[in-house]
Amino acid sequence: MKKYTQSPLAILLLLLTILSVSCKEELIYEDPEPFYDKGERLKINNDLVILDDRELTHSGGQAGIWYDEASQVLKVDASTLEVELDTGLVLHIDREQDVLLRRISHVEQSNGEYILQTEDGHLLDVFDDAKLSFDFSPEFSNQQLKSGSMANLRGNALSKALTDDDQGIHPSEIRMIVGDTEQVIFSVEKNIPLLTTKSARSSNKVGFEHQFNTNKTILAVGPVELVLEDFGFSWYSDLKANFSTEKKYHHTPWGSKIKPPYYVGAKLDVIAEDMDIEAWFDVAAVIEGKLPLVNETDPLLLPMTLQFEFPVGTIPVLIGIEFALDLGVDISVDGKAKVGTGYTLKYNIPKVMVGGTLYEEYLIPHWSSRHDYQQGHVVDQYFHPLKLEAMASLKQVYTLKPTMGFSLYRLAGPEINLAIGTEFDFDVGGGVSLSLDDSQDPQAYIGWGGKLSTKVGAGGGVWFDAFGVLNKHLDIPTLPLLPSIPIWHTPESLSDKTGTDFGNTLVGQAKEVEVEVKDSWTLPAPMMFVEWVSDGGGHWEHPITMTALGVAKNKWIPTEAGTHHPYCYVKNGKLKEIGRVNFTTTTTEE
């Protein structure tokens, strides 16, 4: 029987989504030299058949294989295969989104097509013997990617190039899946470096971090609320794994194997070393209040009545129509005061190992697990700066309400109104951040913003007109027909407009930067406050500046050599950060 196999390492890279690495930079070449020992490390199962779904058809020429997950029946045209399929073979089919691994339990042929009854295949069906080491550090793959030497490699050539002499296997692509969302965070083919994402650190650790902005009230006493503003955590580690499979056979007196094996086993150990764990949260005590200033309805057009008389026989029919136009004005001030702080804990665990062995001996399955743990320690812990903040919102709502009423015989009738409203919110806030351990200088900040929106509603009522003696309206409250529709707001974004080279600076020599604030219409936003933070190594000429026609300028004055990361940001009236610009400069002595 003819068998068709490819590189066993290519199989493993398809079966396992694993990050791995070797840190040996001397192994990286423009034309990568493979370090690959097929005989010692991997031994392919003789019953394995490797197939590519893009090269297959079914039902006489339809693209790809046909597979029904419920019945586990698989169909493929025999003419697109280079092998003869039989019971017991294991099919490894590379599809666009996944890999299908199926063991054939029954074979039929009809009109040149295989109709296969299959069952689940397992990793032990792929290898007779495997001894593999994985190192999940990203350095090797990023260096290969930087050299540009691997982008055109495919299949077996790519698999060999990603294998080093220390038996470290490296990924050609890494994907992160959160819920139903999949994101490629590293790819040789797509030229996506891993170190540009938050999933890897320059220290060659891999992991993730996430922050949840909740603003959730956890306790309320009168007008005071205790609010959990945000919390988050991160995990980064040097991650390694060792995988091996083993099969044992009885032998004849002359040394041949007696199949099937009486023992089939697999071992996997995952080792996380130098694990950095960080967790943080921010809480605040908040008190709010509202002060109504204006709540009035003024008629712009006094009620006008048109009366129509229709003679129907000898009886006159009187119909009256009334029209009015009102302006509603609602102005109020909302105030908020907040005292907040938070806490961060950084923890390091030297080593955590978890592993397991799954094996079958004389058709009896067995499972065992093992673990190892080295006691960790607190690296750092600190309270966040104490923030004292106050905010106020001036809300102005203007509503035009045209109303039309109808009456018969000047007695009574229905009326309807259509309310078209415009709302303008003006927010302003200010605060100060105070380090609880005096490790940072006090930092003050201020922000303001405006928002314009519109909304449409409808209402009704009954209009009484008792022969001109009583003119009375009983209104039904106006109900919104549409949610509030945003029209404009400011600020919307902050961007760097620096024209000079800020990457290199000299101690004591100021260098100017320029940033621009825009509103939601991408127009320059004037009179916006921009806060500037030095973050060490120097200081800004002004801690707070204001935009003219959307543009603010400041000068960075470096005081010591090194690489520094000053930044600036803009907040709206609710003191929410809308935009930030991070600068990086390498400062040298004159």
Side-chain angles (χ1 to χ4, degrees):
M1 188 190 309
K2 183 181 178 183
K3 299 293 191 307
Y4 172 55
T5 61
Q6 286 184 346
S7 162
L9 186 53
I11 301 167
L12 190 67
L13 291 172
L14 291 171
L15 289 175
L16 303 175
T17 304
I18 295 182
L19 317 177
S20 57
V21 75
S22 168
C23 300
K24 295 203 167 184
E25 211 166 309
E26 63 268 23
L27 302 180
I28 301 168
Y29 306 95
E30 287 302 317
D31 297 315
E33 179 180 342
F35 297 92
Y36 180 73
D37 190 339
K38 175 179 175 181
E40 292 184 7
R41 299 179 54 211
L42 297 170
K43 192 174 291 183
I44 289 290
N45 191 332
N46 289 330
D47 294 328
L48 184 72
V49 179
I50 310 291
L51 300 173
D52 189 335
D53 187 64
R54 294 170 295 184
E55 300 173 355
L56 306 176
T57 63
H58 71 276
S59 301
Q62 297 187 43
I65 59 108
W66 181 91
Y67 174 66
D68 180 64
E69 193 169 340
S71 64
Q72 302 187 66
V73 172
L74 189 150
K75 298 180 182 180
V76 60
D77 291 335
S79 61
T80 58
L81 298 173
E82 298 183 13
V83 295
E84 179 182 346
L85 301 185
D86 201 356
T87 302
L89 291 181
V90 178
L91 303 181
H92 175 287
I93 305 173
D94 180 15
R95 300 194 293 186
E96 184 176 353
Q97 300 296 331
D98 58 11
V99 173
L100 192 64
L101 193 65
R102 308 298 303 172
R103 176 180 286 277
I104 301 174
S105 58
H106 181 71
V107 177
E108 292 183 17
Q109 284 199 56
S110 176
N111 298 323
E113 182 180 45
Y114 280 108
I115 302 174
L116 309 172
Q117 184 66 49
T118 65
E119 57 190 30
D120 290 340
H122 302 285
L123 194 59
L124 294 177
D125 295 322
V126 177
F127 304 110
D128 274 339
D129 188 33
K131 293 181 179 179
L132 304 172
S133 296
F134 303 91
D135 192 329
F136 292 70
S137 170
E139 182 180 3
F140 181 92
S141 296
N142 277 284
Q143 289 292 338
Q144 288 276 30
L145 184 63
K146 183 183 293 187
S147 72
S149 57
M150 300 178 64
N152 297 320
L153 299 181
R154 298 290 184 275
N156 190 51
L158 180 61
S159 175
K160 289 182 178 181
L162 287 168
T163 306
D164 60 43
D165 59 351
D166 291 328
Q167 300 186 356
I169 300 176
H170 314 283
S172 60
E173 187 166 289
I174 303 170
R175 294 175 294 274
M176 177 174 286
I177 302 173
V178 180
D180 297 329
T181 303
E182 179 178 299
Q183 179 183 4
V184 177
I185 60 176
F186 169 79
S187 175
V188 170
E189 181 179 357
K190 299 174 183 176
N191 197 35
I192 302 175
L194 179 61
L195 288 180
T196 62
T197 73
K198 290 186 177 180
S199 299
R201 286 181 172 173
S202 57
S203 59
N204 298 323
K205 296 182 180 181
V206 294
F208 62 90
E209 62 181 83
H210 194 78
Q211 175 160 315
F212 301 88
N213 297 307
T214 60
N215 287 316
K216 182 178 179 60
T217 300
I218 56 179
L219 180 64
V221 180
V224 181
E225 295 181 343
L226 184 63
V227 177
L228 177 63
E229 296 187 307
D230 59 64
F231 68 93
F233 56 87
S234 67
W235 175 88
Y236 289 92
S237 175
D238 290 329
L239 198 61
K240 302 178 182 179
N242 295 311
F243 172 75
S244 64
T245 63
E246 184 181 11
K247 294 183 180 181
K248 297 179 182 179
Y249 300 87
H250 290 297
H251 292 79
T252 63
W254 50 89
S256 298
K257 293 180 179 178
I258 301 175
K259 296 187 176 181
Y262 70 90
Y263 174 93
V264 179
K267 295 170 61 178
L268 175 65
D269 291 327
V270 179
I271 306 146
E273 296 180 324
D274 195 19
M275 187 187 309
D276 293 329
I277 300 174
E278 184 174 342
W280 63 88
F281 67 86
D282 288 289
V283 294
V286 179
I287 183 169
E288 296 186 69
K290 181 175 182 178
L291 177 64
L293 300 179
V294 178
N295 186 4
E296 296 181 358
T297 300
D298 296 322
L300 294 181
L301 182 64
L302 294 175
M304 297 176 60
T305 302
L306 295 177
Q307 193 175 83
F308 300 85
E309 181 175 327
F310 299 89
V312 180
T314 60
I315 303 173
V317 176
L318 299 177
I319 296 176
I321 298 177
E322 182 191 74
F323 180 81
L325 182 62
D326 296 331
L327 172 64
V329 180
D330 186 358
I331 302 177
S332 62
V333 175
D334 296 341
K336 178 190 290 188
K338 183 169 70 173
V339 179
T341 186
Y343 181 74
T344 292
L345 174 67
K346 296 181 179 181
Y347 198 77
N348 180 269
I349 300 176
K351 180 180 178 181
V352 174
M353 185 278 288
V354 292
T357 301
L358 176 66
Y359 66 96
E360 186 179 276
E361 191 169 13
Y362 296 109
L363 302 180
I364 300 175
H366 302 271
W367 162 258
S368 64
S369 62
R370 54 191 169 274
H371 66 275
D372 184 23
Y373 172 75
Q374 293 183 12
Q375 183 68 41
H377 64 281
V378 175
V379 176
D380 193 11
Q381 56 180 325
Y382 55 86
F383 284 98
H384 298 173
L386 182 67
K387 292 184 178 181
L388 309 176
E389 298 179 343
M391 290 152 275
S393 297
L394 177 64
K395 179 173 293 187
Q396 305 166 74
V397 181
Y398 303 96
T399 305
L400 281 177
K401 188 169 70 173
T403 303
M404 181 172 289
F406 171 85
S407 72
L408 187 62
Y409 288 111
R410 293 193 296 177
L411 288 176
E415 72 174 22
I416 187 171
N417 63 65
L418 185 68
I420 304 171
T422 300
E423 179 178 312
F424 178 73
D425 295 348
F426 178 81
D427 302 319
V428 62
V432 62
S433 175
L434 305 171
S435 174
L436 296 178
D437 57 5
D438 294 330
S439 60
Q440 300 176 15
D441 294 332
Q443 178 185 343
Y445 45 90
I446 188 172
W448 71 269
K451 182 178 68 174
L452 183 66
S453 58
T454 186
K455 52 187 176 183
V456 178
V462 178
W463 168 35
F464 291 94
D465 187 358
F467 300 99
V469 176
L470 175 64
N471 193 302
K472 182 70 173 178
H473 299 265
L474 299 180
D475 289 332
I476 298 174
T478 301
L479 302 175
L481 295 180
L482 296 172
S484 180
I485 303 171
I487 298 176
W488 166 89
H489 70 265
T490 189
E492 166 71 12
S493 64
L494 176 68
S495 59
D496 184 12
K497 295 295 181 181
T498 304
T500 58
D501 176 23
F502 190 74
N504 297 285
T505 52
L506 296 175
V507 171
Q509 293 189 11
K511 183 162 284 193
E512 187 175 72
V513 298
E514 183 177 291
V515 295
E516 183 177 26
V517 182
K518 292 184 178 181
D519 62 18
S520 60
W521 290 350
T522 67
L523 296 175
M527 300 179 65
M528 306 303 301
F529 293 98
V530 179
E531 278 80 34
W532 304 81
V533 183
S534 65
D535 203 26
H539 61 86
W540 294 102
E541 186 177 30
H542 306 289
I544 299 178
T545 60
M546 179 182 291
T547 62
L549 291 177
V551 174
K553 298 180 180 180
N554 207 348
K555 290 183 178 180
W556 165 255
I557 305 172
T559 57
E560 59 185 60
T563 300
H564 310 304
H565 306 279
Y567 62 91
C568 65
Y569 60 85
V570 64
K571 293 177 180 280
N572 63 13
K574 298 186 183 299
L575 299 183
K576 177 182 178 182
E577 186 175 304
I578 300 301
R580 175 180 291 224
V581 173
N582 296 294
F583 302 95
T584 298
T585 182
T586 300
T587 304
T588 57
E589 300 284 353
E590 291 189 66

